[in-house]
Amino acid sequence: MAKKKSNQIKWDYASAPESTGHIQLKDRYDLFIGGKWVKPSSGKYFDSINPANKKVIAKVAHANGSDVDKAVKAARKAYDEIWSRISPAERAKYIYRIARLMQERARELAVIESLDAGKVIRESRDVDVPLACNHFFYYAGWADKLEYAFPNRRVEPLGVAGQIIPWNFPLLMAAWKIAPALAAGNTIVLKPAETTSLTALKLAEIIKDSGLPDGVVNIVTGFGDTGAEIVNHKDINKIAFTGSTAVGKIIQKATAGTGKKLTLELGGKSANIIMDDAPLDQAVEGIINGIFFNQGHVCCAGSRLFVQENVADIVIEKLKHRMKSLIIGDPLDKNTDIGAINSKEQLDTINKYIKIGLKEGAEMYQTPCDLPKGGYYCAPTLFTGMSQSSVIVQEEIFGPVLTIQTFRTVDEVIQKANNTPYGLAAGVWTDKGSRIFNLTTKLKAGVIWANTYNKFDPTSPFGGYKESGYGREGGLHGLEAYVKLK
Ligand code: ADP
C-alpha cells in the first residue's frame, strides 16, 4: 500500500540480528476507530520512547472522552449491524486470518515490541509474538463451537467490550483480550498502555488488512484518563482490565452497580518454593526465569523465593554464580538476557524499593556489571535477611528484584507463601509428587507451576485470588468472561 513518504520513517535495524532490515513505523499514529485512522479531537499526541536509548520512536494520539465515545459508537454499530449477525463460522475465518497475518509479520512485531517496551528480542520473538498468534488460533477454533463449550446453555455475546491493558506484554495482552472477545461475538474498544502503544497499533493495521468489518475492533491510545473514559462509558457492557491493583480497585468501584461484567487481572507477589529434594540446578534456572524474565515486569513473577534451610546456602551460591553470566544490554541483540526497564517511572519505582530494602536492613547482592549507558537499566538484585513483614517482601516491585527467605517445614512455607494480599501464582520445586500435591492444594494462588515457571499456553486459564483480581483469561474460562449464559 502506498503511503506518504513524509509520514514515515524507515527503521533500518540491519544490525539487529533478528531484523529483516526494514521495520515500517509511522512517525505519528492516530486512533483506530471504525476501521479508519482518526485524529484525536484534542489534537494532542504524546511520545512513545525507546527505553533502551530514551529516543522518541513515534508520536501517539491522546484520546479524550469524545474520541472514546466515537469508538464506542463504532463498536456498537458494528455489533448491531454485523458482528452479532454473521455466522460463528464466518467470525472464525476472520480470527484465523488475523492469526496468520500476525505470523507473517512476526519479525516486525517482535522488533517493534522490543524497541517500544525494552524487552529482549529473544523473548519477543520466541515467547510474546508466537503466544499472541496462538491465542488467536485457539479462540478462532472456539468461535463456531460455543454450544459445545457451554453445553445445554444458550450462549450470547455481551455486546461492546472495553479492554485496558498494561505495558509489560503489550501485544500478548492485546491478544489475550481481543481473541476471546471476538470469538464470543463481541466488538471491542481497546486501550494499550501509554508507554507501549505501538504493537497494538500495528495489530490495528493487521486487523484492517484482514478485512475484519469496520468498527469490530477499535484501538484508542492514551493515559489513565482515556482508560477511565472507557470504564465509565454508559454503552459498554464489559470491562476487562489488566494492570495495577490500585487502578483495579478504582475500576471495581466505578463499575459497581452498572451491570457491566468485569474481569480484573492485577498484581502479584508470587512465591517460588525450593524443597531440599529438588533438582537444584534446574531449580536455579527456574528461579532466574521466574524473576528475571522480562526484567521482572511480570505480574506472576516468582519474586519471593523460599528455600528450604538445609539447601539455602548452596542454592544462593549457585544463584549468584548463574546471575554473573546474565547479559544485560541492548534489547535488540539476541544474546541479551536482560533488557531495559520499561520507563523512567518504573525504574524510579524499582530504585525506591531497593532503597527501602536497604533501609529495612536487608542484605543486597547485585550482579557485578556495567549497566548500558543512555537507557533505563537495573542490575539483577537479590535481597536476604528480611522479615515476613518487610515492605520488599509484601509489595509488588515489578522489576528484577528477588527477596530470599528460608523455611524448615512445609507448613511454615505454606503459611509464609500465603501471607500477602496477593494470590496470582506460585512455583514448587521438589522431586516428590506427594509434596507437589500437598503444596499446590494449600497455596492460595490462581496458577501454580511444579518444577517449572512462567509457562503459558492459550488453553490454560490464568488469573488470581485475593487482591490479584478475579476472572480468568485463557482456555474455556477466558471465553466465559465474554458470554452471557442462559
Ligand atoms: P502501572 O502502574 O503498572 O503503569 P496501571 O494500572 O497504572 O499500571 O496501568 C495499566 C493500564 O491502566 C494502562 O493502560 C493505564 O493507562 C490504564 N489506567 C491507568 N489509570 C486508569 C484509570 N483510572 N482507569 C482506567 N484505566 C487506567
Side-chain angles (χ1 to χ4, degrees):
M1 197 170 55
K3 286 191 184 153
K4 269 193 283 171
K5 240 195 165 150
S6 61
N7 198 22
Q8 215 167 6
I9 306 172
K10 281 247 155 102
W11 292 88
D12 188 354
Y13 282 94
S15 59
E18 286 316 303
S19 161
T20 48
H22 291 114
I23 299 300
Q24 301 219 325
L25 276 167
K26 293 189 265 188
D27 60 6
R28 204 172 72 177
Y29 281 90
D30 291 321
L31 307 165
F32 186 66
I33 298 176
K36 300 191 175 51
W37 294 99
V38 176
K39 297 212 174 312
S41 48
S42 68
K44 287 188 185 147
Y45 293 81
F46 60 93
D47 292 336
S48 205
I49 288 172
N50 177 346
N53 61 19
K54 304 185 195 171
K55 288 193 180 144
V56 177
I57 310 170
K59 289 200 173 292
V60 176
H62 187 162
N64 62 16
S66 128
D67 301 313
V68 168
D69 188 51
K70 261 188 228 162
V72 175
K73 286 203 169 96
R76 176 62 59 192
K77 187 168 186 289
Y79 178 78
D80 288 342
E81 295 177 8
I82 306 169
W83 202 241
S84 62
R85 295 184 177 200
I86 65 171
S87 75
E90 200 62 21
R91 281 206 306 261
K93 278 191 213 162
Y94 285 110
I95 308 170
Y96 277 124
R97 205 176 295 158
I98 294 169
R100 283 197 300 270
L101 288 171
M102 284 172 74
Q103 278 187 323
E104 280 172 23
R105 292 171 71 173
R107 281 178 174 229
E108 187 183 7
L109 289 168
V111 172
I112 294 172
E113 197 74 307
S114 285
L115 274 175
D116 203 25
K119 68 170 64 208
V120 299
I121 190 74
R122 230 178 33 222
E123 291 173 9
S124 309
R125 182 196 65 187
D126 298 346
V127 182
D128 294 50
V129 176
L131 262 179
C133 298
N134 285 345
H135 262 81
F136 279 95
F137 279 117
Y138 173 73
Y139 281 110
W142 275 121
D144 62 352
K145 301 173 194 69
L146 295 179
E147 67 267 41
Y148 300 101
F150 307 105
N152 306 318
R153 310 287 293 272
R154 192 179 143 77
V155 188
E156 287 177 9
L158 298 170
V160 177
Q163 307 181 320
I164 299 165
I165 59 171
W167 45 261
N168 56 341
F169 293 93
L171 182 72
L172 184 58
M173 289 300 108
W176 277 29
K177 297 273 181 290
I178 293 174
L182 287 185
N186 303 276
T187 58
I188 292 164
V189 176
L190 175 131
K191 190 194 91 63
E194 49 270 38
T195 57
T196 55
S197 307
L198 298 183
T199 44
L201 293 163
K202 272 280 144 190
L203 183 58
E205 288 178 12
I206 288 173
I207 283 170
K208 198 166 166 52
D209 290 348
S210 76
L212 188 78
D214 291 349
V216 173
V217 174
N218 304 274
I219 312 269
V220 292
T221 43
F223 291 75
D225 58 331
T226 314
E229 293 289 350
I230 296 176
V231 169
N232 295 317
H233 197 289
K234 298 225 162 7
D235 199 29
I236 283 186
N237 307 98
K238 149 95 191 181
I239 296 291
F241 173 77
T242 300
S244 61
T245 294
V247 173
K249 286 182 182 177
I250 295 172
I251 294 177
Q252 197 171 7
K253 282 188 191 136
T255 52
T258 63
K260 286 177 182 138
K261 193 163 173 171
L262 176 65
T263 39
L264 298 172
E265 202 266 272
L266 309 175
K269 192 76 184 174
S270 301
N272 204 0
I273 300 170
I274 317 294
M275 307 298 301
D276 59 4
D277 63 343
L280 294 186
D281 289 331
Q282 232 173 293
V284 166
E285 285 308 309
I287 298 165
I288 295 276
N289 171 40
I291 185 62
F292 300 130
F293 172 60
N294 199 29
Q295 295 71 249
H297 302 328
V298 183
C299 45
C300 55
S303 53
R304 286 183 302 148
L305 177 65
F306 290 95
V307 192
Q308 202 155 20
E309 204 174 76
N310 51 328
V311 291
D313 287 346
I314 177 128
V315 168
I316 294 170
E317 194 190 306
K318 279 175 184 282
L319 190 55
K320 287 180 177 171
H321 180 72
R322 177 67 179 89
M323 279 167 70
K324 286 187 189 134
S325 67
L326 294 174
I327 299 171
I328 303 147
D330 179 2
L332 284 177
D333 184 331
K334 74 175 174 197
N335 294 313
T336 301
D337 296 303
I338 299 195
I341 299 301
N342 184 266
S343 65
K344 177 176 184 308
E345 289 69 32
Q346 190 54 30
L347 183 57
D348 289 346
T349 303
I350 296 166
N351 285 333
K352 177 192 85 180
Y353 278 111
I354 290 177
K355 280 204 188 103
I356 291 173
L358 291 170
K359 216 166 152 205
E360 285 179 321
E363 196 178 311
M364 182 176 79
Y365 171 84
Q366 284 188 323
T367 314
C369 63
D370 291 327
L371 292 179
K373 302 260 178 310
Y376 305 123
Y377 285 95
C378 178
T381 305
L382 304 182
F383 276 106
T384 49
M386 304 84 31
S387 70
Q388 181 66 21
S389 61
S390 297
V391 172
I392 56 167
V393 168
Q394 288 293 324
E395 294 186 13
E396 184 177 41
I397 300 174
F398 224 60
V401 181
L402 179 69
T403 61
I404 306 180
Q405 295 170 267
T406 57
F407 65 94
R408 286 189 185 162
T409 66
V410 170
D411 287 345
E412 180 190 350
V413 77
I414 290 169
Q415 194 274 333
K416 282 181 170 169
N418 286 339
N419 182 12
T420 76
Y422 297 111
L424 191 52
V428 178
W429 297 80
T430 170
D431 210 21
K432 279 207 182 84
S434 58
R435 272 185 165 170
I436 291 173
F437 185 73
N438 184 27
L439 279 155
T440 52
T441 42
K442 290 180 183 155
L443 289 169
K444 293 196 181 82
V447 180
I448 305 179
W449 287 289
N451 294 329
T452 185
Y453 208 93
N454 274 339
K455 280 270 185 297
F456 304 98
D457 189 277
T459 62
S460 65
F462 183 89
Y465 285 21
K466 302 194 278 185
E467 291 192 20
S468 293
Y470 54 78
R472 294 290 178 267
E473 294 185 294
L476 265 184
H477 298 66
L479 203 54
E480 195 172 345
Y482 288 96
V483 293
K484 232 182 290 172
L485 294 176
K486 288 188 173 164

